[in-house]
Amino acid sequence: MAAKVSRDFVLQMEGYGLATAEILYRMPDHPGLLQTFLWQDYDLCPRFPELNKFLEFWRREIAGPLHSVRVAHSGLIKPAELRSVDGMFLLN
């Protein structure tokens, strides 16, 4: 029986990384107030097709107009990072 590979792992192997977007939007009934929404999914940097699909959905379906979007992205599969650490650990 073959092991099932997770969708997330397959996306990472295809070059996707974890993208997080902080979306500030105006409250429809109180336009002077800003609200925060966090979105996170696997996406391709620098074009961010998944985030852009979500933002198009937002503009089309959600009443709160967008104020700004700040994006962070991390490629999760990368070479191991090895570094020397100075210190002494005493056990017992």
Side-chain angles (χ1 to χ4, degrees):
M1 180 154 130
K4 186 172 181 173
V5 177
S6 77
R7 172 190 169 271
D8 295 345
F9 181 74
V10 171
L11 287 173
Q12 291 175 52
M13 293 304 293
E14 293 173 356
Y16 283 71
L18 191 61
T20 304
E22 178 188 43
I23 300 167
L24 291 179
Y25 64 97
R26 297 195 182 277
M27 300 291 290
D29 48 350
H30 299 286
L33 295 178
L34 291 175
Q35 183 75 10
T36 302
F37 180 84
L38 289 178
W39 174 92
Q40 191 172 59
D41 203 353
Y42 289 96
D43 212 345
L44 291 168
C45 183
R47 294 182 185 241
F48 298 105
E50 302 302 321
L51 176 58
N52 281 304
K53 278 192 255 182
F54 177 76
L55 293 175
E56 280 304 313
F57 166 80
W58 184 294
R59 288 183 193 104
R60 193 175 59 250
E61 303 291 333
I62 298 178
L66 295 173
H67 174 271
S68 60
V69 178
R70 185 168 47 172
V71 180
H73 182 268
S74 176
L76 298 178
I77 294 183
K78 51 189 166 192
E81 180 180 311
L82 299 175
R83 57 188 166 108
S84 175
V85 177
D86 291 333
M88 181 182 293
F89 298 94
L90 300 175
L91 300 175
N92 294 334

